[in-house]
Amino acid sequence: MSGELSLWNDTPNKKAIVDFVEAVTDESGAHYVPPGKRIATFDNDGTLWCEKPMYIQLVHGLRAIGKTAAEKPEVRARQPFKAVYEKDMAWLGKVAEDYAKGDPTGLFTLATAITEVLADITVDEFEADAQEFLTSAQHDRFKVPYKQLTYKPMVELIEYLEKNKFDVWITSGGGRDFMRAVSEEIYGLSPSKIIGSSITFRYADDEKGVAQVLRNKDIEQPIDDGPGKPPHIHRATGRRPIFAAGNSDGDIQMLKYAKGHKGLSLALLVHHDDVDREYAYDGGAETALELAAGSGWVVVSMKNDFKRIF
Amino acid sequence: MSGELSLWNDTPNKKAIVDFVEAVTDESGAHYVPPGKRIATFDNDGTLWCEKPMYIQLVHGLRAIGKTAAEKPEVRARQPFKAVYEKDMAWLGKVAEDYAKGDPTGLFTLATAITEVLADITVDEFEADAQEFLTSAQHDRFKVPYKQLTYKPMVELIEYLEKNKFDVWITSGGGRDFMRAVSEEIYGLSPSKIIGSSITFRYADDEKGVAQVLRNKDIEQPIDDGPGKPPHIHRATGRRPIFAAGNSDGDIQMLKYAKGHKGLSLALLVHHDDVDREYAYDGGAETALELAAGSGWVVVSMKNDFKRIF
């Protein structure tokens, strides 16, 4: 196993992961789990890719709002179009701040506007747009396209699990179809392995008579966050995970769901403690960090456990 | 290819299927589709397993209603508990008749009662119950457990497609978790490959503090039928199928969605024309059969194309 997880330092956390994988894959051992039941679920924002200073999908959504505000003066009278058009960073900053404090009102206003400006297009058009954005738009600090901002040790962990015949899924509070646009390229996971929040869809024939699936405005409930995660996981996989990885309070129920597996299980919490190479923040993860300590979850230190970040 | 589809007679329909599969898997050909994009979707009731004289899931639901009616006298005052308790076959027959005529009111009353009596249990409990039913309850005419009533040439078709690196899904108007209980055993497909209609779920810790996913009463909208199928397919797979198989009007939009693929595609309609070995009926498939003739869909004759049924 010495060649495994080469981007991880040789810490107790790495050992805990490798020990777990070896135990559940050992056919003659007491903790063996057959391949079809080795379900692993990963959160995305802050667990697999960078979520600071802003959710990547929010940057994409703001761009779409900006486009609409530029084209349609009538929308500029209301938020968030006004703030985006006027580059009112105070308004936008407050949205993030409120959300971190547990007040999602501003984020909901933003999300509603985003679903509005991205409605009534086909799923193929949305995919092309998201793909273009993730490939061309750059992160302000790291100066690379957003799709490159995946945590490489975590991507390596996905590959390691897949090599050990785990069935790996990504389940994110963020938009499912947004991640799917690049999931194969950046995670090696087909679009069908991506679960997440989503708007609803409708069927329609286009003007050429070709059957299309179109995006609606309304967000499917519940979103794939907090207590919504286990239902989403059940819907997509039909099974309880034996491994789950997250980084925030929105992942608590998913981590507990994995820990509810009757055999051996592993819950992993990525801790953002590397201010030099990424960011250091506990905001929005306070309860998870507290629970982790008492629940035997593996708290991964990005600073100490990761040889590199990106 | 002579050893392929051994349960199919050598008819033009079999040739059309084999030709299609050979064309999209031929890397040097004009119609090549890479493995990850070879999405195939199958309807279940009447396409993969027997749906007469009654949807299998309905038999399961009626049994659950009967159990509740036997235990709780107070529910017997209302339908469908009254009809089930009194074995009022006229009332129940009318439900099926009305539904075939396009009036789903009775079926909705039934479905609502079924979701009610199967609510507030964990997904594991439901799975065990469905599994037990499909393994032990017998079909009145064929005298075998329901799970044996799959059309073996269609199961062979699934295997043939998988062997040719198709990504095979089942997408049914019927209940997703009901099929999942036996999908691996009868179709060789993991639960995650089963799409379908469903109630919604909620997360809760049980009395031992173990995280559980529980069934709610309400049915998720839209159901996975008719115009609801392409949105369900998109949600689960993220891709447009290039192959789809159905048997009724509820499959039209799915078949059209597959035919909307820009390259080669195949839409297949199973025609129930074998009164001796199964059933013969066009009810509920009239429009699909009409469309098939004008759209180049392959209409499979169970009588002429299948060497055996079960």
Side-chain angles (χ1 to χ4, degrees), chain A:
Chain A
M1 283 286 161
S2 57
E4 308 292 1
L5 298 179
S6 65
L7 304 178
W8 292 64
N9 289 315
D10 287 320
T11 63
N13 281 338
K14 174 176 172 175
K15 188 175 177 326
I17 295 168
V18 173
D19 285 352
F20 167 75
V21 170
E22 291 184 348
V24 299
T25 55
D26 176 8
E27 269 190 73
S28 58
H31 303 295
Y32 180 69
V33 177
K37 295 190 170 171
R38 286 178 210 156
I39 310 291
T41 56
F42 287 79
D43 168 61
N44 189 47
D45 296 296
T47 299
L48 294 178
W49 78 15
C50 183
E51 63 178 355
K52 294 290 176 187
M54 208 186 271
Y55 290 130
I56 297 176
Q57 195 186 356
L58 210 48
V59 185
H60 173 251
L62 288 171
R63 195 184 63 161
I65 289 174
K67 237 170 158 178
T68 301
E71 287 164 7
K72 301 180 178 172
E74 68 272 21
V75 302
R76 291 176 212 157
R78 59 179 170 114
Q79 293 296 16
F81 297 99
K82 184 170 155 42
V84 173
Y85 189 73
E86 294 171 356
K87 298 192 171 39
D88 179 354
M89 297 316 286
W91 190 91
L92 294 166
K94 195 170 175 311
V95 166
E97 211 176 283
D98 286 352
Y99 183 70
K101 283 184 201 153
D103 174 7
T105 320
L107 194 67
F108 188 74
T109 304
L110 259 184
T112 305
I114 292 170
T115 60
E116 182 186 326
V117 298
L118 292 170
D120 306 322
I121 59 175
T122 69
V123 291
D124 295 334
E125 286 165 342
F126 179 83
E127 184 183 342
D129 183 58
Q131 218 160 50
E132 191 274 324
F133 169 79
L134 285 160
T135 304
S136 64
Q138 292 211 345
H139 189 276
D140 277 345
R141 174 176 162 197
F142 299 114
K143 309 288 179 207
V144 293
Y146 283 106
K147 72 176 177 185
Q148 291 181 23
L149 291 179
T150 56
Y151 307 137
K152 298 304 175 289
M154 293 301 287
V155 176
E156 188 186 39
L157 175 55
I158 289 177
E159 291 162 358
Y160 171 62
L161 292 173
E162 288 210 301
K163 213 172 121 186
N164 282 282
K165 300 206 174 90
F166 276 73
D167 188 17
V168 178
W169 300 77
I170 295 178
T171 180
S172 165
R176 184 196 55 221
D177 287 4
F178 185 70
M179 297 178 279
R180 280 179 169 177
V182 291
S183 66
E184 210 137 41
E185 182 186 346
I186 68 177
Y187 300 129
L189 295 173
S190 89
S192 64
K193 307 310 288 292
I194 314 300
I195 318 169
S197 300
S198 178
I199 46 82
T200 68
F201 303 96
R202 67 181 184 277
Y203 168 93
D205 291 335
D206 65 19
E207 65 283 354
K208 288 176 191 156
V210 178
Q212 301 289 357
V213 173
L214 298 168
R215 292 170 61 88
N216 290 330
K217 278 190 184 75
D218 46 310
I219 295 172
E220 189 184 73
Q221 296 298 333
I223 66 163
D224 188 13
D225 197 34
K229 282 207 177 187
H232 271 270
I233 290 168
H234 172 71
R235 183 177 65 185
T237 76
R239 293 202 159 128
R240 185 191 285 268
I242 66 169
F243 173 104
N247 77 302
S248 79
D249 291 351
D251 298 312
I252 289 172
Q253 285 86 354
M254 170 179 73
L255 297 168
K256 285 181 71 175
Y257 194 45
K259 290 305 287 182
H261 170 63
K262 276 172 190 150
L264 211 58
S265 59
L266 192 140
L268 185 154
L269 196 70
V270 174
H271 188 206
H272 292 268
D273 58 358
D274 193 333
V275 73
D276 293 327
R277 296 188 300 175
E278 202 233 8
Y279 296 95
Y281 58 96
D282 289 353
E286 296 91 342
T287 310
L289 286 162
E290 219 176 282
L291 269 170
S295 310
W297 301 351
V298 172
V299 179
V300 166
S301 159
M302 294 181 74
K303 188 173 173 165
N304 300 322
D305 291 323
F306 289 177
K307 283 194 189 157
R308 50 183 277 213
I309 307 285
F310 300 120

